[in-house]
Amino acid sequence: MSVRPRAVRTKLGELDCVVVDALPEGAKPDLVVVLSHGFGASGTDLVGLAPELMNASPRLAEAVRFVFPEAPLSLENLGMPQGRAWFALPQSVLMGQQRDWEQFSREVPPGMPAARRALMSTVAALQQPFGRIVLGGFSQGAMMSTDVALRLEECPAGLCLLSGALVAEEEWKPRAKARPALPVFQGHGRQDPVLPFQEGERLRDLLTGVGMPVEFLPFDGGHTILTEELEQLAAFLVKRLDGR
């Protein structure tokens, strides 16, 4: 039987969010999963993942609340009236012409610190222990989730990276070394034309290099989310729910 969760729009911290769960009225979740969308998507782009994950692992419907924050920047000036972004991207990246990925991985993108503060305000507004929060996202949302997960006062329950990439390497590496027990799920398409597969590998290698347990799923596909990826993500979340 398919799960039919409730979706509520609300403001948490500085960001507008959609909150989705199938919990009894007034019940508190055992785990909160915050999933952040990618560059150019609408704030509701990932909301449909919640019922898919709950159907893949029904235990998630019994105990998990999903939160989908909307990025702070509007892309209306780029002809995308519904599009949002966590931080601006260079025109070369937008046009698919970025070639110096090594430089991209080292730099802190302009606008990331402001986006970090906004997303951290949302995490704080959850009123949930950090150890019972999983952060994650797609593409630029995965970058933001990594940045926040490495900066919280305490280690979160997990990190889910869907088609992400490494940025801010000099800032992330020492913080990652201080968080070696953080469990990570990471998926990336081998034919990704937006964030090349090797950039996903570069991020994976940094995390595994400091000892983080990373479940890495390479798949044949582009800049997208596959059913197989969601099934493995659901299993990963159940483990976080059980504290494993």
Side-chain angles (χ1 to χ4, degrees):
M1 189 173 74
S2 64
V3 178
R4 299 180 67 86
R6 297 178 303 276
V8 176
R9 292 177 180 269
T10 188
K11 190 155 191 171
L12 292 169
E14 297 178 25
L15 299 176
D16 293 327
C17 299
V18 178
V19 179
V20 181
D21 67 49
L23 304 173
E25 198 71 39
K28 291 187 177 181
D30 293 331
L31 189 73
V32 177
V33 179
V34 182
L35 295 177
S36 299
H37 65 82
F39 181 93
S42 72
T44 59
D45 185 58
L46 299 183
V47 171
L49 297 187
E52 290 192 53
L53 290 166
M54 291 178 188
N55 284 317
S57 294
R59 281 206 56 219
L60 300 179
E62 300 168 1
V64 176
R65 175 169 291 151
F66 291 87
V67 176
F68 300 92
E70 180 179 87
L73 300 182
S74 169
L75 297 180
E76 190 169 2
N77 62 327
L78 294 179
M80 294 184 274
Q82 303 301 317
R84 311 290 298 187
W86 296 95
F87 51 84
L89 289 175
Q91 192 66 22
S92 59
V93 175
L94 292 177
M95 300 300 291
Q97 297 167 343
Q98 174 73 42
R99 290 293 178 267
D100 193 351
W101 289 105
E102 190 166 331
Q103 180 182 348
F104 183 76
S105 70
R106 289 196 303 266
E107 295 178 345
V108 178
M112 179 176 258
R116 174 197 310 142
R117 288 191 296 272
L119 187 53
M120 290 186 90
S121 76
T122 294
V123 173
L126 298 174
Q127 298 184 323
Q128 185 87 353
F130 292 140
R132 303 306 294 165
I133 296 174
V134 172
L135 295 171
F138 178 74
S139 192
Q140 197 182 65
M143 299 177 200
M144 287 308 311
S145 299
T146 305
D147 191 68
V148 169
L150 297 179
R151 294 171 187 274
L152 292 177
E153 294 174 11
E154 298 172 22
C155 187
L159 180 61
C160 307
L161 307 175
L162 310 177
S163 301
L166 175 62
V167 294
E169 181 175 12
E170 290 184 8
E171 291 190 2
W172 284 6
K173 193 167 186 177
R175 293 177 180 278
K177 284 181 179 176
R179 204 142 278 186
L182 173 62
V184 180
F185 173 81
Q186 184 183 2
H188 210 110
R190 293 187 182 94
Q191 293 81 37
D192 192 330
V194 178
L195 293 173
F197 182 68
Q198 65 265 23
E199 297 314 301
E201 291 182 306
R202 195 192 297 266
L203 175 57
R204 177 203 62 193
D205 291 348
L206 180 140
L207 301 178
T208 57
V210 300
M212 282 188 194
V214 178
E215 295 181 24
F216 186 69
L217 174 66
F219 59 85
D220 289 324
H223 200 61
T224 188
I225 301 172
L226 297 188
T227 300
E228 177 190 6
E229 195 177 7
L230 289 180
E231 289 170 351
Q232 291 202 27
L233 173 56
F236 175 85
L237 293 176
V238 169
K239 285 185 277 190
R240 307 289 76 75
L241 187 58
D242 293 339
R244 291 189 277 129

